[in-house]
Amino acid sequence: MATFGNLSDRLAETFKNLRTKGKLSPADVDATVREIRRALLDADVALEVVKEFTGNVRERALGGEVNKALNPAQQVVQIVNEELVAILGGEARRIQFAKKPPTVIMLAGLQGAGKTTLAGKLAKWLAKDNHTPLLVAADLQRPNAVNQLQVVAGQAGVAVFAPEPGNGTGNPVRVAKDSIKFAIDKQYDVVIVDTAGRLGVDADMMKQAADIRKAVDPDEVLFVIDAMIGQDAVATAKAFQEGVDFTGVVLTKLDGDARGGAALSVASVTGRPIIFASTGESLDDFEPFYPDRMASRILDLGDILTLIEQAQSAFDEGEAMKMAEKFATDTFTLEDFLSQMQQLRGAGSIKKMMGMLPGMGGMKQQLENFDEREIVRTEAIIQSMTKAERQNSKLLNGSRRVRIAKGSGMTVTDVNQLVQRFEQAAKMMKTVAKGGMPNIPGMGPVPGAHGGRKQVAKKKSGSKSGNPAKRAAEDAARAAGIKPDAAPVSAGGSGFGLGLGKGKSAPGAPSEEELASLQKFLGR
């Protein structure tokens, strides 16, 4: 994640220096802890959190668990990972739903933290889980806040309760209270109340939020905080906790490039768990927060579980089985290729998904240079083809490729490269589908791997004679169930074993028809 990019780089560099040491001395541990402290402070993590964190790491690193470890440096990384998980809240927590619907969720936070957009993201996420959420426009102060919530609700495909126009008119407490009765009547099982914020913490905002909380008695109060707010994050969180109190935290703008370490402090300082994280502008850039997964991302250890979950949500299992069968039977077409790319785009940002792989922190430049619009260009080329051309790429002659290039706004070279990549991909996937290991272009064959199914070499049971006639005779005798040594080919020493004269043959020797077939086989 961009917000913690600098922190990840600093920690990765620290551990890189640590891994060169076979045994760690107290001086090595102190130097490592000192670098970790600097990295956390530079990332805007609260001082009290940094002190507690580095103190725990130093104490454990100098203890027996590191001294007895086979790989001390790796053990220190594990300790840092565990302590990071601890300051991020320990275990993940999910929304506590009411035993009797509707479940009421109140959003609170400063203006600009992203509450309204987050309300739409949360509603869409709940709708995917078979809930029926209702958005409530209780922010009647910010200009066009009600209109914005209505637009977001439309994009998320959920209902909105907005009886007041807003822009300074209407009673937000009454709106929030009436929304509960409306939800019960219309059978909505989750109510999400979007409240007003201010540019800073003040008494009026706190009183209004407290009044709304008292009126609707929410099951969850989520404090929405901008991950790029800096050191004010801790002070704001404490103020909201004292004035309104909240049951969980939501981090927004985790895709920003500012120092976001202060957001790491909130869970530790307030004792309230981080429940959700918003990672982009799209309504789908929203995910449950897992402290262990976030710690792994920060330490560049990857987040494979989240990657798998995103892939599973985007790809249809039945469709995947059909594709696997097409790979195996060599019937994979450009139309299937297009379908697969569109599903891949539906899974979210490819850059973000690649960033979840372990060790990708060292490939940031390559990730930044990756142009996701390349997939759009590829789609344009395939969509410029006729159905027959998509089904059979061998129809793509020169004139057809020129037409496709013009239709898609690309060059003939682009079309040629796409077809070449498609054919290579189809060939590789066919090999994989049959249980083999493909030869990756530029890498050559994988040592010890074989393409396709493993072929078991059969030991030749035929004659080993260098004389063609004798070899044929021995093979024929063996086929007839006679031992080759019991089937002499000739009594004489003719070069081809034909010493018995014309029309005669030794017992068990091949007939003239068999010899004629043999010569025909040999191309004579």
Side-chain angles (χ1 to χ4, degrees), residues 364-380:
K364 281 188 177 178
Q365 191 62 43
Q366 292 90 325
L367 281 178
E368 289 301 317
N369 293 337
F370 177 74
D371 187 3
E372 297 198 30
R373 291 175 298 177
E374 189 66 31
I375 295 180
V376 179
R377 300 185 189 106
T378 301
E379 287 182 1

Side-chain angles (χ1 to χ4, degrees), residues 463-476 489 494-498 510 514-515 517-519 521-522 524:
S463 173
K464 297 180 181 179
S465 173
N467 185 323
K470 183 179 179 182
R471 189 163 61 243
E474 290 181 353
D475 289 342
V489 177
S494 169
F496 288 93
L498 304 177
E514 289 173 330
L515 288 175
S517 299
L518 172 64
Q519 290 196 357
F521 174 75
L522 295 173
R524 292 181 181 272

Side-chain angles (χ1 to χ4, degrees), residues 91-403:
E91 295 182 357
R93 185 175 84 76
R94 300 283 68 88
I95 287 179
Q96 302 294 325
F97 291 97
K99 293 181 180 179
K100 182 181 178 182
T103 298
V104 181
I105 301 173
M106 174 181 167
L107 304 181
L110 294 180
Q111 184 174 314
K115 291 192 303 299
T116 303
T117 304
L118 183 102
K121 291 182 176 183
L122 176 59
K124 187 174 183 179
W125 183 81
L126 287 167
K128 286 180 181 178
D129 203 23
N130 298 321
H131 290 284
T132 52
L134 173 70
L135 294 181
V136 179
D139 182 357
L140 305 179
Q141 180 173 335
R142 181 169 60 88
N144 292 319
V146 175
N147 290 340
Q148 183 190 353
L149 188 67
Q150 289 171 332
V151 170
V152 168
Q155 292 173 341
V158 298
V160 62
F161 181 75
E164 298 288 352
N167 298 321
T169 62
N171 186 336
V173 179
R174 187 174 68 249
V175 168
K177 192 171 183 178
D178 291 346
S179 70
I180 306 300
K181 185 177 182 303
F182 179 83
I184 294 172
D185 292 342
K186 301 296 181 180
Q187 296 186 337
Y188 292 103
D189 70 342
V190 180
V191 176
I192 302 172
V193 183
D194 179 30
T195 64
R198 298 287 195 280
L199 294 176
V201 176
D202 61 26
D204 290 339
M205 175 183 64
M206 287 300 178
K207 183 178 186 309
Q208 185 183 108
D211 289 344
I212 291 175
R213 173 165 188 164
K214 186 177 179 181
V216 300
D217 189 21
D219 300 281
E220 295 276 12
V221 179
L222 301 183
F223 173 52
V224 183
I225 187 166
D226 184 344
M228 301 188 292
I229 196 174
Q231 283 295 332
D232 282 344
V234 175
T236 305
K238 285 182 175 178
F240 267 92
Q241 189 174 22
E242 292 169 3
V244 184
D245 199 9
F246 50 85
T247 59
V249 179
V250 181
L251 297 181
T252 63
K253 304 180 186 178
L254 282 177
D255 56 325
D257 56 3
R259 296 177 298 179
L264 301 180
S265 314
V266 174
S268 180
V269 170
T270 63
R272 299 290 187 269
I274 302 173
I275 300 180
F276 292 106
S278 174
T279 58
E281 296 179 3
S282 167
L283 291 183
D284 292 314
D285 294 331
F286 178 79
E287 60 191 44
F289 186 87
Y290 295 91
D292 53 342
R293 299 185 192 182
M294 181 58 70
S296 292
R297 289 195 210 183
I298 292 172
L299 296 178
D300 195 25
L301 301 176
D303 187 0
I304 299 298
L305 288 176
T306 300
L307 183 60
I308 291 171
E309 287 173 1
Q310 288 188 6
Q312 285 177 335
S313 66
F315 287 89
D316 180 71
E317 189 174 346
E319 191 67 24
M321 294 295 289
K322 289 180 183 177
M323 287 298 111
E325 186 177 344
K326 288 192 173 189
F327 283 133
T329 56
D330 205 14
T331 56
F332 186 70
T333 65
L334 280 162
E335 200 157 5
D336 299 322
F337 190 50
L338 175 64
S339 173
Q340 290 293 293
M341 281 195 300
Q342 289 171 339
Q343 284 196 45
L344 182 63
R345 286 182 64 197
S349 168
I350 297 175
K351 280 186 183 179
K352 288 181 182 176
M353 289 193 292
M354 291 175 67
M356 293 179 193
L357 296 172
M360 291 303 288
M363 300 179 66
K364 281 188 177 178
Q365 191 62 43
Q366 292 90 325
L367 281 178
E368 289 301 317
N369 293 337
F370 177 74
D371 187 3
E372 297 198 30
R373 291 175 298 177
E374 189 66 31
I375 295 180
V376 179
R377 300 185 189 106
T378 301
E379 287 182 1
I381 293 174
I382 298 177
Q383 288 169 342
S384 296
M385 299 177 184
T386 65
K387 188 171 183 179
E389 288 167 345
R390 293 182 203 173
Q391 295 290 342
N392 184 7
S393 61
K394 301 200 183 309
L395 295 176
L396 297 173
N397 56 23
S399 61
R400 289 175 183 259
R401 297 188 187 208
V402 170
R403 188 204 79 237

Side-chain angles (χ1 to χ4, degrees), residues 445-485:
V446 179
H450 303 277
R453 292 179 180 174
K454 189 175 180 182
Q455 299 292 332
V456 180
K458 292 184 179 179
K459 186 177 179 181
K460 289 186 177 181
S461 59
S463 173
K464 297 180 181 179
S465 173
N467 185 323
K470 183 179 179 182
R471 189 163 61 243
E474 290 181 353
D475 289 342
R478 186 175 284 104
I482 304 171
K483 291 186 179 180
D485 54 3

Side-chain angles (χ1 to χ4, degrees), residues 59-69 75:
E59 182 180 349
R60 292 183 60 185
L62 290 174
E65 59 183 305
V66 171
N67 292 332
K68 295 176 183 178
Q75 190 64 36

